[in-house]
Amino acid sequence: MPTEFISLTFPTQSTELKPIPGALIDPDFLERYARNLDDYAYNYTLVPYDSSYFDPFTVGAVIAAHTKNLKIIIALRPNTKYPTVAAKALATLDQLSRGRAVVHFIAGGSDAEQAKEGDFLNKEERYARLEDYIKILRRAWESPEPFDWDSPYYQFKQFSNAVRPVNGQIPVSVGGSSGEAYRIGGSLADIFGLWGEPLKETKDQIDRIYAEAEKAGRTDRPRIWVTFRPIVAETDELAWAKAHRTLNALQTHRAAGLGKAPADAPTPQNVGSQRLLEIASRGEVHDRALWYPTVTATNARGASTALVGSYETVSESILDYVELGAELISIRGYDNLNDAIDYGRYVLPRVREELEKRGKN
């Protein structure tokens, strides 16, 4: 399949470089942001989830109303919505968007964050619950007859769903860097999401995901999604100057308590963040342009690895990951709207043009 691009939805003008405490949704900004993603031929936008953040389903419906081609990836934690309810909600969004809904599952990487919304399962239990959840959704979308479910996590009888996805199913994405994530995603997911690690480590993870797919008896494999935070400019020199300004802002905001992770934040509990911090300890720059000081500046909270360089350098770096097997490339910056426009003008066309030359798009 062709290489596709993902952005992240920002419903306010608050950014990591210029945080606005208590920012409300700005409907005009959200519409402008979504329209730009559509106009610059991004394929997807991820609507994120956080215990203290906006409802992704509502935001996703607004995006669908203002775009024509952009697919909407709803980030979903299983503890927040019963699977029968989620099956109908996702299928409703899919019908409203004419088949553009996708779901990305977050099993939960922090006990403290999960507890904020009443979820006290441990990590192994959360992944076991996620396995049930995905199976229930798939059955709810395709079963012609009512069905029962009885497991440690969900029990119901004779559930019948009249709300069907446009294309029969909705793509399911799973992310993570633990053995449990590889097993669930490899065996059940259509898409598997990874954070930006060096090429060798990324290849190792892809191999593990594919091995789990084969072990599960699949004849296909999950499409691989890799996420970066590019810092780009016309030349490498200008991009590196911009990168250091960005890093200084992130460090300043974190010290002042305005960043995503406070200066005294403990080591993250999730394996993905731990991996990023360990790689950061080995050096600042990896491979062609992968930069890790943004990881340490944010305590690896979420996707935080940068690709730094000219439009050409960053495009070539993305192509390195495509050659490894990444079919979905997520890129989002620090100056949310302006970075998305820059990528749309100068990075996406370069990557697509080169892939056409290589006969891969």
Side-chain angles (χ1 to χ4, degrees), residues 1-7 42-45 71 73 102-104 171-174 189-196 202 206 210 221-228 318 321-331 351-352 355 361:
M1 294 183 71
T3 299
E4 296 184 302
F5 286 91
I6 304 171
S7 185
Y42 286 83
N43 304 96
Y44 304 82
T45 188
K71 296 175 184 177
I73 306 174
V102 180
V103 60
H104 177 67
V172 169
S173 171
V174 170
D190 301 294
I191 298 167
F192 196 103
L194 299 170
W195 287 339
T202 301
I206 292 173
Y210 286 171
R221 301 187 296 195
R223 301 180 71 202
I224 302 299
W225 156 9
V226 184
T227 299
F228 304 101
I318 289 171
Y321 286 87
V322 174
E323 289 295 330
L324 283 186
E327 294 185 55
L328 297 153
I329 303 294
S330 176
I331 50 174
V351 174
R352 286 174 171 147
L355 288 171
N361 227 14

Side-chain angles (χ1 to χ4, degrees), residues 218-291:
R218 291 180 62 164
T219 56
D220 64 342
R221 301 187 296 195
R223 301 180 71 202
I224 302 299
W225 156 9
V226 184
T227 299
F228 304 101
R229 308 289 299 274
I231 301 173
V232 297
E234 292 181 0
T235 67
D236 287 336
E237 183 179 6
L238 289 172
W240 280 107
K242 181 178 177 181
H244 287 289
R245 291 195 301 273
T246 299
L247 179 62
N248 182 65
L250 293 174
Q251 292 170 332
T252 299
H253 294 322
R254 186 179 180 193
L258 297 174
K260 284 191 172 182
D264 59 350
T267 300
Q269 188 180 1
N270 70 85
V271 175
S273 292
Q274 292 171 9
R275 287 175 62 100
L276 294 186
L277 289 168
E278 190 279 323
I279 295 167
S281 71
R282 297 187 228 152
E284 292 192 355
V285 181
H286 300 261
D287 300 323
R288 193 189 297 265
L290 190 64
W291 196 49

Side-chain angles (χ1 to χ4, degrees), residues 25 30 47 54-63 74 93:
I25 283 182
L30 177 58
V47 188
F54 305 109
D55 172 57
F57 281 89
T58 310
V59 173
V62 172
I63 294 169
I74 301 296
L93 178 62

Side-chain angles (χ1 to χ4, degrees), residues 79-94:
N79 61 295
T80 63
K81 198 178 288 286
Y82 204 75
T84 55
V85 178
K88 294 179 291 183
L90 287 162
T92 299
L93 178 62
D94 196 61

Side-chain angles (χ1 to χ4, degrees), residues 5 307 314-322 329 331 347 351:
F5 286 91
L307 290 174
V314 168
S315 297
E316 289 295 327
S317 298
I318 289 171
L319 287 163
D320 291 339
Y321 286 87
V322 174
I329 303 294
I331 50 174
V347 177
V351 174

